[in-house]
Amino acid sequence: MAIVDVRILVEGASDVEVVSKALQGLALGSEYNITISSIIPTTNVEIAKSAAAGADLLIIATDADRVGRDLAERLFSELGEMVGHVERMKLPLGHDLEHVDVELVRKELKNTLVRAGLKSLQILPEYMALRNQLLDLKGRYDGLAEEYRKLREEYEALTKTLEELREENTRLKEENEGLKALLESAKNIYRIEEAWKSLFPAEPVPDETYIGKAVEKLGLAGRVIVGQGYIFAEDKGLVDELLRTVYLSLSIREEPGEVPKPPTEEPPRPPKPPEGPGVVEDAEVKPDDIEGLLKGL
C-alpha cells in the first residue's frame, strides 16, 4: 500500500516546534499509513504553493484567532486544486512551547487526520463512479485505438494505391498525347490491302513481313513504317513506289526468264540410193511383183 504524503503549513517557526513536539509519540506510519514529509512555516501564498504542490494531504495549521482564520481561508482557496485534499487544523493560542498543551495539539492533529479520512470515505462512491467511467473510457479508448490502427493500415494501403494510380494516370496522359499526335497525322496512315488493291486489283496482297523487309532493303526505315496491317509514310506517293517495287520483286521471283537450251546433234542421214534398179535390203517381195518381173524378161 502506498504511503500518504502529508504536509503541514504553519504561520511561523514557533508553530513548527509545537507541531513537531506533538508528532512525537504518534505512530502515523503504522496507524494511518502516512508520513509527514515537511512542516512549512510561511504566510506567503506563492511560497506555500511551491512547498505544497503534489501533496496527498495538506494540513493548514493556524491560530484559532481571526488572523489565523483569514490566513487559513486564503490558503485553502489558493491551494485546493494543487493537492489531493486540504484540511484545516486550529492551533491553541500562544507560541511558547512551555505554555502550550502539546497533548491538545497532538489530539487535534489526530482528529484532523481522522476528518480527512472520513471525508475521503464520503467521496468514495463518487470515486468508484469515476473509476467505472475511467474503465469504460479505457475500453472505448482501446477500441478506438484498434480502429485507428486498422484505419491507419487502410490509409497507407490507399496511399500506395493512389501513388500507383497517379503513375498510371501519368502514363496514360503520355500515351494519350501520343495518340493525339497519331490522330493528327492519321492522313499519312494507309491500309496495306487498300493501297495494294488500288494499284494491283487482280493480284493477291503480299505478306506484311515481306513489305517490311523491302522497306529495310530500300533504305526507307524512318520514312516508312509497316505494322498491324498499315503503312505509315510521309505521302501516298512513297507508299505507291514501295508497293510497285514489291510487285516487281515478286514478279521476278515467280516468272524467271527462259534459258535457251544448247543445240543437239542430229544423227547422220543414210546416203541416197542410186537411181535405177537397185537392191533393197530387207524388202518385202510380193508374188505379183515377181510375176511382173518375169514378164518383163
Side-chain angles (χ1 to χ4, degrees), residues 259-280:
V259 179
K261 296 181 180 180
T264 58
E265 296 182 359
E266 296 183 358
R269 296 181 179 180
K272 295 181 178 181
E275 297 180 358
V279 179
V280 180

Side-chain angles (χ1 to χ4, degrees), residues 101-293:
D101 188 349
V102 176
E103 184 61 32
L104 182 62
V105 175
R106 184 179 293 118
K107 181 179 179 180
E108 180 63 21
L109 181 58
K110 292 180 67 174
N111 290 336
T112 302
L113 295 173
V114 170
R115 285 198 308 271
L118 292 174
K119 289 180 179 179
S120 299
L121 289 176
Q122 290 175 358
I123 65 173
L124 183 59
E126 182 180 354
Y127 164 77
M128 293 302 297
L130 291 175
R131 181 176 179 276
N132 292 335
Q133 291 182 16
L134 176 62
L135 293 175
D136 180 60
L137 289 174
K138 184 179 183 303
R140 292 172 57 187
Y141 170 81
D142 293 341
L144 290 174
E146 178 64 19
E147 183 177 354
Y148 170 79
R149 185 188 64 79
K150 293 180 180 179
L151 289 174
R152 183 70 185 180
E153 292 178 355
E154 184 177 354
Y155 167 77
E156 292 176 354
L158 289 174
T159 301
K160 182 179 179 181
T161 303
L162 177 61
E163 291 300 321
E164 293 175 353
L165 289 175
R166 284 177 176 171
E167 294 177 359
E168 180 68 11
N169 182 56
T170 302
R171 186 188 66 80
L172 290 175
K173 281 184 178 179
E174 295 175 354
E175 184 176 340
N176 186 50
E177 293 299 324
L179 290 174
K180 285 183 179 179
L182 185 61
L183 289 174
E184 291 176 358
S185 60
K187 60 183 181 181
N188 297 330
I189 298 177
Y190 310 93
R191 288 183 61 86
I192 294 177
E193 183 176 1
E194 293 177 358
W196 181 267
K197 290 298 184 181
S198 67
L199 296 174
F200 314 106
E203 299 296 329
V205 180
D207 185 77
E208 180 180 302
T209 305
Y210 190 82
I211 299 176
K213 290 182 179 180
V215 170
E216 296 178 3
K217 296 294 184 181
L218 296 173
L220 297 176
R223 299 177 60 196
V224 178
I225 300 174
V226 179
Q228 302 297 322
Y230 290 88
I231 298 177
F232 175 84
E234 297 174 354
D235 53 60
K236 185 64 165 58
L238 191 58
V239 175
D240 293 345
E241 180 182 352
L242 170 65
L243 295 182
R244 288 192 180 97
T245 303
V246 171
Y247 175 77
L248 179 61
S249 174
L250 292 173
S251 299
I252 294 174
R253 290 179 59 184
E254 295 176 357
E255 300 179 3
E258 293 184 359
V259 179
K261 296 181 180 180
T264 58
E265 296 182 359
E266 296 183 358
R269 296 181 179 180
K272 295 181 178 181
E275 297 180 358
V279 179
V280 180
E281 294 182 358
D282 299 330
E284 182 181 357
V285 181
K286 299 180 179 180
D288 294 339
D289 295 336
I290 296 175
E291 185 177 355
L293 289 173

